[in-house]
Amino acid sequence: MKAETEIWQVTTHEGVFETDLPTLKQWVVEGLVRPTDKVRKGALKWIEAERAPSLRRVFSGEEKAEAVEHSQASNADDEWSEPVLSGTPALSSSCYFHPVAAATLVCRACSTTFCRSCPNKVGASSVLLCTLCGGFCDPLELLTERLALYERQGSGFGLADFGEALSYPFRHVASLLGGAVLYGFLLLAGMRAQLLAYAFVFGCISLVVRRVAYGNLERDFMPDFSEFSFWDDVIVPCSLGLGVTLVTLGPTLVLIVALLFGWFGGAQTASPLALVPHADSEQAERPGVTREEMTTLVKGGTAGQEVELEKKIQEMRPGAQVARGLAQSKEGEATGVTVVRQLLARPGLILLLGLVALGWAVFYHPMALLVAGWTESLKSVINPLVGLDTMRHMGLTYFKAFLMYLAVQTVALLLSFLVGLATAPFDMPFVGNLPAKFLSGIVTFYTSLVIACLLGLALFKSADRLGIELD
């Protein structure tokens, strides 16, 4: 096989292309192929371009590649001469040379659009080159989709996105039904199965948040179980879910622990807000042994004087100082219990703190889900500063998403309540209302997908402010 007819493949950051050897050498000279790009001849092994024997001399400059002449497309009736460019042509839906023909290709370099017959084909490969500047040509459909993606990203976040999130699970009806039924049955199969159900639904949430954040609403939301990993598919989602719980309910848990500590925190109490004497003042009350007292101890004195001096010396020993420190710490603990009990004596303050803690849990929970789904990092999830900074960049978009989240959760709670009432006759001792658990699980699965899609769309519409590069 001649070198001119051998098919070569080259993979660059733009993709994989096929061409012949002369054209590949010309691409090397023009800088389109870098030394680190991978190439191969026919079905041989991929190697770096600079290591290929046929290209080594071209990279070193010892060999000058001959320009490849591209024949211009023509037909039997008409001959099209190559026009002279006057500035950069605007992107159009018609062919540059055939205005009546729809364009299907666009040049990466000059953005000129062509029909299929106009660009030059490189040898026997599928690589198409611009007739005007020699640049690579791509399908116009890809560019059109890209422009539509950016246009949709800049359209703002509103009720249209809410409707899109509500309909999103129905784009994949089979996955919706299968996932909902699987989640419902896992809820009925004991604690271990419930752990799997929790991991399953949280895995779906993470997947949806990431895909929708890149503007991809067409791909399925079901995880890929072909390569199941207990760590990636169970442990990681459960740990992220635990992180979401801790960061949202943390203030509430701290308040509850403080109240329980006040109720059951020991029998010894001090007077309200009693203050423990400071160590310095206590030391001042216990002066050291003076010179006169030491003289009395050496020369002898009365029995009372000797007893008093011995007590002072005992108190100055390290063991006695440690004992006093322990006693002061116990008094400090009693003071801490007293402060908590003073809090218990003010129910209005407890109510206010409880409302603040619950408000934080409700308001921050969507952001915690968003951070968990986007980063998949437990460290980022439990750090509220990450979520607050993301919230700051999203601005009004997050508040809109939060209101939509509240609406979905309210409807979900109402549906679960109605399901519980309708299936109340099926409530059995020891096992509970199994139909209600199953049907509520289906509702939870659907609403979780809706919430994940809402959060993903909010990220997508804030991509420019968050520095997210759209696919």
Side-chain angles (χ1 to χ4, degrees), residues 28 31-39 47-52 59:
V28 171
L32 300 176
V33 177
R34 297 174 296 180
T36 55
D37 292 336
K38 301 291 186 179
V39 298
I47 61 173
E48 294 180 357
E50 62 181 354
R51 295 175 52 198
F59 279 108

Side-chain angles (χ1 to χ4, degrees), residues 5-26:
T5 58
E6 291 174 345
I7 301 301
W8 284 69
Q9 289 181 309
V10 55
T11 175
T12 68
H13 66 283
E14 300 287 350
V16 179
F17 304 97
E18 290 184 354
T19 184
D20 52 20
L21 182 57
T23 305
L24 182 58
K25 290 181 178 181
Q26 182 181 352

